[in-house]
Amino acid sequence: MLVTIVFVVPELTASEVEVTGDAAESTIAIASWTRLADTPGNQAFVEKCRATYGIEPESGAAQSSATLYILTEVIMAAGSTDAGTS
């Protein structure tokens, strides 16, 4: 009896699929970010990574960049980094 097992993984890279070959068949991967997305700022981020580092950015780089962008916006909107008193 042949049994098919479906794996659900948080992120599966193209190189991981290549290495696992047919074993990756039926695997479901969830992508939190892709360099192919045509969302505001994404393509500029990808191009800047390519130009600056000569590599294709991965999701960790995108998440770090987004975190710093959001933090900068929040600090600018607050006008200070002082948490004040509660």
Side-chain angles (χ1 to χ4, degrees):
M1 180 167 123
L2 180 64
V3 176
T4 301
I5 299 172
V6 177
F7 290 99
V8 178
V9 295
E11 291 193 32
L12 186 62
T13 65
S15 60
E16 291 168 335
V17 171
E18 189 175 310
V19 169
T20 56
D22 290 343
E25 190 70 34
S26 299
T27 300
I28 299 170
I30 301 161
S32 59
W33 173 83
T34 175
R35 67 179 176 266
L36 303 176
D38 190 21
T39 54
N42 190 58
Q43 289 307 306
F45 167 75
V46 171
E47 290 303 320
K48 189 171 184 177
C49 280
R50 288 176 181 153
T52 303
Y53 305 108
I55 60 170
E56 295 293 320
E58 295 184 3
S59 62
Q63 291 165 353
S64 297
S65 178
T67 299
L68 291 173
Y69 177 81
I70 292 166
L71 181 60
T72 300
E73 291 293 312
V74 169
I75 291 170
M76 289 175 59
S80 172
T81 59
D82 183 6
T85 57
S86 300

